[in-house]
């Protein structure tokens, strides 16, 4: 009932993201696809649903496939509950996805120790929230110590590494999904 897979997909946002990532205007996509600018605008704003044939024409104009556009589409209506699969904390480090599916946001919960030697660099922004325990994060040549309830915001492209400094630490990481080109929207980059 609350599963987003039962809902129709809104492909318009995926078309718009792809068009903007390629820095194309609606007029260029219309010319390449043989479809009208008003129709493409309605598709991008989810006021029109393209036929399979039209979606393939749009995909060709955007140098991708209809399958890829559908995979990047947003569910029309989405409510999805991810249950905590037992609250008992074991001795092993654990990563749990807090958001299922292919969405504009990704969130994970890290419990326990973490590989402090592993360096991360994400294309888009992320927020780290310490739910329990404490962590040390190294970013941009500086070390940051965070305790329960603290957050750290990292803009896309920042190299960083982190480690738990207290046993049974829980860190929630929320990020703009990798398939979104959020960094292009930022002026001065």
């Amino acid at each position: 009932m609350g599963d987003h897979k039962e809902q129709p997909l809104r492909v318009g946002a995926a078309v718009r993201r792809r068009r903007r990532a390629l820095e194309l205007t609606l007029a260029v996509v219309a010319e390449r696809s043989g479809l009208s600018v008003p129709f493409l605008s309605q598709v991008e704003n989810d006021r029109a649903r393209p036929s399979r044939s039209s979606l393939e024409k749009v995909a060709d104009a955007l140098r991708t496939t209809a399958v890829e556009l559908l995979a990047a589409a947003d569910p029309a209506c989405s409510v999805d509950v991810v249950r905590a699969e037992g609250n008992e904390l074991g001795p092993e480090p654990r990563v749990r996805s807090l958001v299922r599916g292919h969405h504009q946001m990704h969130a994970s919960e890290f419990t326990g120790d973490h590989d402090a030697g592993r360096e991360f660099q994400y294309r888009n922004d992320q927020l780290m929230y310490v739910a329990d325990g404490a962590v040390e994060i190294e970013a941009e040549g500086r070390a940051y110590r965070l305790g329960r309830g603290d957050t750290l915001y990292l803009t896309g492209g920042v190299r960083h590494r982190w480690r738990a400094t207290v046993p049974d630490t829980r860190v929630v990481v929320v990020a703009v999904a990798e398939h979104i080109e959020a960094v292009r929207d930022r002026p001065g980059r």
Side-chain angles (χ1 to χ4, degrees), residues 89-95 109-118 120 128-138 144-148 160-173:
L89 295 175
E92 297 296 315
R94 191 178 73 177
V95 178
E109 177 187 56
F110 295 85
T111 304
D113 203 4
H114 185 70
D115 179 6
R118 183 173 177 199
F120 298 93
M128 297 179 78
Y129 170 74
V130 181
D132 281 313
V135 297
E136 185 173 88
I137 302 169
E138 182 185 319
Y144 302 88
R145 294 180 190 272
L146 279 70
R148 183 172 188 243
H160 62 284
R161 67 181 95 231
W162 63 278
R163 68 181 183 89
T165 58
V166 173
D168 298 329
T169 292
R170 286 188 319 129
V171 176
V172 175
V173 178

Side-chain angles (χ1 to χ4, degrees), residues 48-70:
R49 292 183 66 193
S51 66
R52 183 72 170 166
S53 172
S54 292
L55 186 59
E56 287 173 2
K57 289 177 184 179
V58 170
D60 287 344
L62 296 174
R63 299 183 202 121
T64 189
T65 65
V67 171
E68 287 293 318
L69 287 175
L70 288 170

